[in-house]
């Protein structure tokens, strides 16, 4: 089975919506307050997510969001979308010239095969080519597996904060993956 990483296309949005909702619900149950998880389950559909992905891909295509990128991991055997990553400029101070990964999901059955690392690598390269040599990502403090993954590819906690969604405040750590030129000879070796 061949697993490839490629840029997302408008034809992919139904699969992207299904993957995003299913993976979020599967991976974050028990990591966020049950009330918030249930609200997401009840109010957020794959069709809703697909519409959002379509808007974002259209904005990339028409030049409205030229510094945003979305890549997919795809199983070539059945053309199934099994992973997704989205990157864009960080809009938080004090990180000038820094990109942020806002989405990183890999179906549970495909985790541990290097796809998350490959997705981070391609997003990091894309953002670096746009003048963002450093990268951040936010992770729930309760998501120990994700924290270990980010630390294994060179991330370190640089700030602890909270997010607010529907009046609830699950704590998150923001991991900064560093400037690539200081992490090693090339991004390929450090992620």
């Amino acid at each position: 089975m061949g697993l490839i990483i490629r840029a997302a296309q408008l034809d992919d949005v139904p699969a992207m919506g299904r993957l995003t909702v299913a993976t979020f619900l599967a991976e974050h149950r028990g990591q966020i307050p049950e009330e918030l998880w249930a609200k997401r389950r009840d109010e957020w559909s794959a069709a809703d997510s697909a519409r959002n992905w379509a808007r974002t891909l259209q904005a990339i295509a028409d030049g409205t969001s030229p510094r945003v990128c979305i890549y997919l991991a795809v199983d070539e055997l059945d053309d199934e979308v099994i992973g997704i990553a989205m990157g864009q400029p960080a809009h938080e101070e004090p990180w000038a010239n820094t990109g942020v990964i806002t989405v990183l999901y890999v179906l549970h059955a495909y985790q541990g095969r290097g796809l998350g690392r490959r997705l981070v690598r391609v997003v990091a390269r894309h953002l670096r080519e746009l003048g963002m040599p450093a990268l951040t990502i936010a992770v729930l403090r309760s998501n120990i597996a994700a924290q270990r993954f980010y630390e294994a590819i060179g991330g370190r906690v640089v700030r602890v904060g909270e997010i607010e969604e529907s009046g609830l405040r699950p704590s998150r750590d923001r991991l900064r993956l560093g400037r690539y030129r200081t992490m090693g000879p090339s991004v390929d070796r450090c992620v």
Side-chain angles (χ1 to χ4, degrees):
M1 139 176 79
L3 303 175
I4 62 165
I5 306 296
R6 65 169 174 77
Q9 304 162 7
L10 279 172
D11 291 347
D12 296 315
V13 297
M16 294 165 66
R18 287 189 302 272
L19 172 95
T20 303
V21 172
T23 305
F24 178 92
L25 292 174
E27 298 299 325
H28 294 306
R29 183 140 204 199
Q31 295 179 354
I32 61 177
E34 185 64 24
E35 178 185 343
L36 176 56
W37 185 90
K39 181 176 175 49
R40 280 286 182 103
R41 180 199 61 212
D42 296 343
E43 297 178 4
W44 187 38
S45 71
D48 295 331
S49 181
R51 278 189 296 279
N52 291 332
W53 285 120
R55 272 193 297 275
T56 303
L57 286 171
Q58 187 58 51
I60 293 168
D62 69 18
T64 308
S65 297
R67 295 169 50 106
V68 174
C69 61
I70 304 170
Y71 287 91
L72 304 177
V74 178
D75 184 337
E76 285 185 301
L77 186 62
D78 57 9
D79 203 35
E80 179 185 9
V81 175
I82 56 176
I84 187 168
M86 178 176 163
Q88 63 190 44
H91 298 292
E92 297 179 31
E93 294 298 327
W95 296 320
N97 302 319
T98 297
V100 60
I101 292 182
T102 55
V103 174
L104 179 61
Y105 289 120
V106 174
L107 287 175
H108 189 77
Y110 290 87
Q111 292 177 9
R113 300 182 190 189
L115 292 173
R117 182 180 294 260
R118 289 173 60 192
L119 285 164
V120 168
R121 182 182 299 141
V122 73
V123 169
R125 280 188 193 141
H126 187 113
L127 296 175
R128 186 180 62 212
E129 289 171 7
L130 295 173
M132 294 169 266
L135 189 64
T136 65
I137 190 163
V139 61
L140 292 166
R141 287 180 25 180
S142 56
N143 192 343
I144 303 304
Q147 288 180 38
R148 287 184 181 139
F149 168 74
Y150 299 127
E151 290 167 4
I153 62 173
R156 60 183 173 82
V157 176
V158 294
R159 187 174 77 186
V160 176
E162 293 182 335
I163 57 166
E164 187 168 342
E165 184 172 334
S166 302
L168 302 173
R169 298 175 68 86
S171 294
R172 290 173 28 148
D173 290 337
R174 182 164 294 275
L175 296 179
R176 187 168 185 188
L177 299 181
R179 294 196 179 276
Y180 298 110
R181 65 180 173 263
T182 63
M183 290 175 63
S186 73
V187 69
D188 295 324
R189 292 192 186 149
C190 56
V191 292

